[in-house]
Amino acid sequence: MLQKKICMIGDFAVGKTSLVARFVTEGFSDKYMTTVGVKIDTKIVTLTGGQEVKLILWDIAGNDALTTAATSYLRGAAGYLLVVDGTRRPTWESALQLQKAVMAAIGEKPFIFLLNKSDLSEQWEITKSMVNEQLAQGHTIIHTSAKMGKGVEQAFEELAEKMLVS
Amino acid sequence: MAAIPSSVVKYVRTLWMSEMVITYLFVNSDGNLQEWGGHPRYYGLSNLTAGQPVTEQIFFLEGLLPANHTEVLQFMNMGGSTAHVHILPCHHGTWILLLDATVEHERQQQIQQQVNELSLLNYRQTQLLNQIEEARQGLLEEKQHLEEIIEVKSRLIASLSHELRTPLSSIIGYTDLLDKAKQEDEKTTNYLTTVKNNASYLLGLIDNILDQARLEAGKVELQPSHCDVKQLLNDLKALFFPAAQDKKLELEFTLQRNIPSKIMVDSLRLRQILINLVSNGIKFTQVGQIKLELAWEKDKLIFLVQDTGPGISPEAQEKVFIPFHREAETKHIQGTGLGLTISYQLVNLMGGELKVVESSPSGTTFSGFVVAPEVYHQGIVALTQEGNIIPQISVDAKILVVDDNSVIRMLTEIYLKTGGYTVITACSGEEGIEIAIKEQPNLVLMDLLMPDMDGYIAVQRLREQQFIEPIIALSASNFDSDYEYALNVGCNGYLTKPVDATKLLEKVALILKG
Ligand SMILES: Nc1nc2c(ncn2[C@@H]2O[C@H](COP(=O)(O)OP(=O)(O)O)[C@@H](O)[C@H]2O)c(=O)[nH]1
Ligand SMILES: [Mg+2]
């Protein structure tokens, strides 16, 4: 079966681990458990064409700047998800920076911005104009909630589709 | 230093190896798993099959092979354990070493957890503080907005009261004059009394509304002076005697013996408070008596007003001090429902308290106090201001009256003439200046609110043109700020309309005396 490596990128506590957990085991925990290093999970998805692909998910510890160690985590990735905590604006800026750093490390690979924690709408700090600016550059943005399960499957599947056409 | 013997090195190595739980795998150049050793199950790697592609058995290697240089993946979490993964390319393939880092991972995890949680907490706290600051700013703006509205409102009331006071003052003035003309006809006297009573009532009403507006706008400034409490009580007795007699009510006004002869208090305001409370009692009481007791203790003037009226229900007691509040059963009694509110606010302003102590169907007792320290003085201190009519001796004085309202002009002229003064008049600011410069009167009475050139400007111009005689401002406004402004532009005195003869002559004499 076809296998593809996907990296979860983003500041700490944006919900990378939670998104993977929601996708793989369909669970969620409110308790925050800091990830140190990297954790591997896999899940098979069926694409629209009926093709099956095994996604190898790298849940990498959130870092403000990608360290050298993190660069070695990225090697071989076919695509990545840039996760933002919609209730913390600085994590959006981090995601934009990380995107550049990742591209410098592994070249142009498909990626999607995930605006996570969309269930916390009254603490939302990401404005429409910030989103529009990225959309205008042709980037994909999906609102997700690992807590409610909203947009999670869509995010992984859309990335998988992008990776297979590229 | 001697070299470490190889036996010791070997011993240390076995010790170290057993501690590290080392696991290794070899992948050939085709990417197939060739051999392994150690404890792959410790990392959840079971059912390894030699000769099969390694990436289908060990998923994290997807995309990493072939490696062209040594690579280390720190803290790879697999099967509940954690390893540092070393990828070592060699001639025929790749060595993969898994060095146990579970304990170190746990330690790092705890440290990082604390760091991250602290950072999150810090962020939320900052956000909250920002929100609080924003809310505070919003409230501040709202407050300013409200203050502006109140300011506009009290200005409106002031100008309205000017409109009302001016015609009223002429009504009262003319009634006075008619009264003095002494018509012995009973009918006329009755009519006149009615007109006068109604006009006085209206004036009282306007004053109350004005007072309330000023209290709301925080515009009332106290003017404490020496107050003779005994005299005050006598005045009140005289004031209320006719009303009490009309209703056959008994008045019992008492003064505690230890009251100092002079206390420092805004006596006008004190009088207003007591008048409100007593007249309220008289208004609601049909039979029995009204009691007023004054006492003094430690810089406080304590008062108690008791009536034998129908009482105030407990629910209503909570609201008696709210503006314009009237109980349904008292709707037939005249009044704005402002008297108690004003008293309440004035008492607070004067550092005191006012409350309903008791109320039952057989009567109501209000009590309270205001701050009023004793005045110590030796010898004779000039007793000015209050109630003392200064004997009219000055003659020959020429007074200029400037007012755009012909009725007021005429009335003032009549009053002044009864005082023996020579009067000249002007009906605008411009004319006033012209006449004042030409005629050089001994005193000018200047209306402050006139169309075109108002009194403030006229006074300013006069002072600029070296006019040095005293000027008394006439105004319908009771605002302290207007009063101060008038003095600032060069007035020597200030009278509020409607001016009665006594007040006018008293002030004029005082100012002329220097
Ligand atoms: N309300 C809400 N909380 C979330 C969501 N996703 C993650 N969290 C919480 O955010 C915290 C950090 O999540 P985690 O997955 O550990 O973030 P990571 O550091 O990026 O892996 C945890 O307390 C999660 O419970 C979400 O969609 N909604
Ligand atoms: Mg995590």
Side-chain angles (χ1 to χ4, degrees):
Chain A
M1 190 191 301
L2 197 58
Q3 291 194 161
K4 292 284 180 189
K5 171 175 174 178
I6 290 180
C7 289
M8 306 294 294
I9 311 285
D11 249 347
F12 67 91
V14 292
K16 300 181 295 295
T17 306
S18 302
L19 286 164
V20 171
R22 165 61 73 189
F23 183 53
V24 176
T25 65
E26 291 170 15
F28 177 80
S29 159
D30 266 316
K31 197 179 166 328
Y32 174 46
M33 182 75 177
T34 303
T35 310
V36 168
V38 58
K39 185 159 182 304
I40 311 295
D41 267 294
T42 62
K43 174 145 174 163
I44 297 168
V45 294
T46 311
L47 301 182
T48 39
Q51 191 185 6
E52 287 198 327
V53 52
K54 180 178 262 170
L55 300 181
I56 296 158
L57 308 168
W58 284 54
D59 175 19
I60 305 173
N63 255 328
D64 286 347
L66 278 186
T67 57
T68 2
T71 312
S72 62
Y73 292 143
L74 295 172
R75 208 154 69 82
Y80 52 101
L81 294 171
L82 286 158
V83 187
V84 175
D85 178 347
T87 70
R88 284 185 295 150
R89 192 187 166 131
T91 66
W92 167 269
E93 265 90 49
S94 290
L96 297 184
Q97 275 184 2
L98 286 169
Q99 196 274 318
K100 292 201 185 93
V102 174
M103 190 159 79
I106 60 170
E108 276 206 48
K109 292 279 150 66
F111 65 89
I112 295 178
F113 283 105
L114 302 188
L115 299 188
N116 191 39
K117 308 200 187 178
S118 64
D119 52 294
L120 301 174
S121 55
E122 75 251 41
Q123 291 181 44
W124 208 247
E125 293 183 357
I126 309 296
T127 64
K128 271 233 164 61
S129 69
M130 293 158 75
V131 170
N132 287 341
E133 200 180 309
Q134 291 307 310
L135 292 177
Q137 293 182 36
H139 296 154
T140 307
I141 296 181
I142 299 177
H143 285 76
T144 59
S145 167
K147 185 168 183 166
M148 316 308 283
K150 205 197 115 213
V152 180
E153 257 175 60
Q154 184 204 344
F156 285 100
E157 283 168 10
E158 225 173 293
L159 183 64
E161 302 269 3
K162 275 180 195 279
M163 291 187 309
L164 287 191
V165 287
S166 67
Chain B
M1 196 174 80
I4 300 171
S6 64
S7 56
V8 175
V9 171
K10 203 175 159 196
Y11 178 78
V12 169
R13 192 177 290 153
T14 34
L15 199 69
W16 180 72
M17 298 268 263
S18 66
E19 277 290 300
M20 290 300 290
V21 196
I22 198 161
T23 301
Y24 65 91
L25 305 134
F26 183 73
V27 182
N28 69 20
S29 40
D30 297 331
N32 291 334
L33 182 61
Q34 195 166 313
E35 57 173 302
W36 61 88
H39 312 271
R41 281 172 187 275
Y42 180 68
Y43 300 108
L45 304 173
S46 45
N47 304 323
L48 293 176
T49 315
Q52 292 295 314
V54 72
T55 51
E56 286 175 11
Q57 306 180 63
I58 304 171
F59 299 123
F60 73 79
L61 289 173
E62 174 66 45
L64 294 181
L65 299 178
N68 44 22
H69 59 88
T70 303
E71 199 139 25
V72 182
L73 301 174
Q74 289 196 305
F75 296 114
M76 175 72 66
N77 297 281
M78 293 172 297
S81 303
T82 306
H84 291 322
V85 178
H86 295 244
I87 300 171
L88 314 166
C90 68
H91 224 48
H92 325 285
T94 310
W95 282 100
I96 293 154
L97 303 184
L98 305 177
L99 305 186
D100 185 36
T102 310
V103 177
E104 197 190 341
H105 175 260
E106 209 154 286
R107 206 169 48 82
Q108 284 267 350
Q109 202 279 332
Q110 275 170 16
I111 295 170
Q112 200 60 45
Q113 179 90 30
Q114 277 183 6
V115 171
N116 290 1
E117 276 177 0
L118 205 70
S119 167
L120 288 173
L121 210 66
N122 197 29
Y123 185 78
R124 278 289 156 244
Q125 202 173 34
T126 312
Q127 295 304 91
L128 281 176
L129 285 176
N130 286 345
Q131 275 172 20
I132 290 171
E133 178 55 26
E134 247 169 58
R136 202 184 67 90
Q137 209 58 38
L139 283 176
L140 211 70
E141 272 163 33
E142 207 161 298
K143 181 167 164 266
Q144 269 166 3
H145 182 61
L146 283 178
E147 277 171 357
E148 274 164 30
I149 291 177
I150 290 177
E151 172 77 22
V152 167
K153 190 183 106 179
S154 52
R155 280 277 143 203
L156 182 81
I157 291 175
S159 67
L160 231 166
S161 88
H162 168 74
E163 298 293 321
L164 293 171
R165 272 168 165 268
T166 309
L168 254 184
S169 67
S170 72
I171 294 174
I172 293 174
Y174 274 107
T175 326
D176 262 347
L177 288 175
L178 278 176
D179 211 15
K180 288 208 177 94
K182 280 266 179 324
Q183 279 280 355
E184 286 307 328
D185 171 8
E186 196 189 329
K187 236 184 188 170
T188 320
T189 315
N190 276 346
Y191 291 166
L192 275 179
T193 313
T194 311
V195 172
K196 221 168 113 176
N197 285 348
N198 279 300
S200 300
Y201 167 71
L202 267 181
L203 196 62
L205 205 73
I206 292 167
D207 282 342
N208 269 352
I209 292 172
L210 199 59
D211 262 348
Q212 174 60 23
R214 295 169 63 216
L215 280 164
E216 265 177 20
K219 287 242 163 83
V220 172
E221 276 165 39
L222 296 176
Q223 284 166 347
S225 61
H226 299 183
C227 171
D228 180 342
V229 187
K230 207 166 165 184
Q231 180 65 42
L232 173 67
L233 201 71
N234 285 337
D235 286 353
L236 292 178
K237 231 187 258 178
L239 181 72
F240 285 116
F241 183 71
Q245 213 177 27
D246 274 356
K247 293 181 82 172
K248 303 207 166 51
L249 297 172
E250 193 189 321
L251 287 184
E252 194 186 317
F253 286 14
T254 54
L255 196 66
Q256 200 190 48
R257 246 199 246 123
N258 72 342
I259 283 198
S261 61
K262 283 270 178 345
I263 54 173
M264 196 64 168
V265 73
D266 187 329
S267 39
L268 275 180
R269 294 306 183 183
L270 175 60
R271 182 187 292 254
Q272 192 179 358
I273 293 163
L274 296 177
I275 287 176
N276 277 340
L277 290 173
V278 173
S279 63
N280 202 58
I282 293 178
K283 201 164 26 173
F284 291 105
T285 305
Q286 300 312 324
V287 276
Q289 62 167 5
I290 315 295
K291 222 191 237 176
L292 168 62
E293 274 175 32
L294 294 181
W296 191 85
E297 195 186 295
K298 287 190 213 132
D299 291 347
K300 283 175 189 163
L301 182 75
I302 302 153
F303 52 85
L304 184 137
V305 179
Q306 199 168 47
D307 65 45
T308 51
I312 310 168
S313 69
E315 311 85 68
Q317 277 178 38
E318 289 173 11
K319 299 183 206 146
V320 285
F321 299 124
I322 296 171
F324 299 107
H325 177 78
R326 299 281 313 274
E327 276 309 290
E329 63 265 32
T330 65
K331 283 282 178 338
H332 61 282
I333 295 170
Q334 215 174 34
T336 46
L338 275 177
L340 287 179
T341 315
I342 291 170
S343 302
Y344 182 76
Q345 295 178 75
L346 283 175
V347 166
N348 280 339
L349 201 64
M350 293 164 84
E353 262 174 25
L354 173 62
K355 58 184 182 229
V356 181
V357 215
E358 201 196 342
S359 192
S360 70
S362 56
T364 303
T365 310
F366 284 92
S367 97
F369 69 88
V370 293
V371 172
E374 179 174 6
V375 178
Y376 301 95
H377 56 85
Q378 273 103 39
I380 299 142
V381 173
L383 301 178
T384 48
Q385 297 189 353
E386 221 133 300
N388 294 340
I389 295 175
I390 287 144
Q392 184 47 60
I393 29 165
S394 136
V395 232
D396 260 11
K398 185 159 61 173
I399 300 178
L400 168 63
V401 178
V402 187
D403 201 309
D404 60 313
N405 186 310
S406 60
V407 178
I408 300 279
R409 219 161 48 228
M410 199 170 10
L411 212 55
T412 316
E413 189 177 348
I414 295 170
Y415 286 159
L416 289 172
K417 279 185 172 156
T418 53
Y421 298 103
T422 310
V423 182
I424 47 176
T425 60
C427 60
S428 72
E430 290 91 339
E431 198 190 4
I433 295 173
E434 201 186 303
I435 296 180
I437 298 298
K438 200 167 75 193
E439 302 274 335
Q440 290 293 318
N442 306 84
L443 175 78
V444 178
L445 284 172
M446 177 74 75
D447 180 25
L448 288 181
L449 289 178
M450 292 184 290
D452 300 332
M453 182 189 288
D454 68 24
Y456 295 110
I457 298 183
V459 172
Q460 228 163 4
R461 294 272 162 81
L462 275 174
R463 292 308 186 208
E464 278 162 20
Q465 296 180 38
Q466 316 303 326
F467 181 81
I468 51 162
E469 298 300 338
I471 302 175
I472 297 176
L474 277 176
S475 171
S477 154
N478 256 334
F479 283 91
D480 293 326
S481 54
D482 288 339
Y483 170 80
E484 272 158 31
Y485 188 59
L487 294 196
N488 276 342
V489 297
C491 293
N492 308 72
Y494 192 92
L495 280 171
T496 323
K497 289 182 190 176
V499 185
D500 63 41
T502 321
K503 228 164 53 178
L504 178 69
L505 292 175
E506 199 181 309
K507 189 74 167 189
V508 165
L510 199 75
I511 298 272
L512 279 176
K513 229 172 66 183

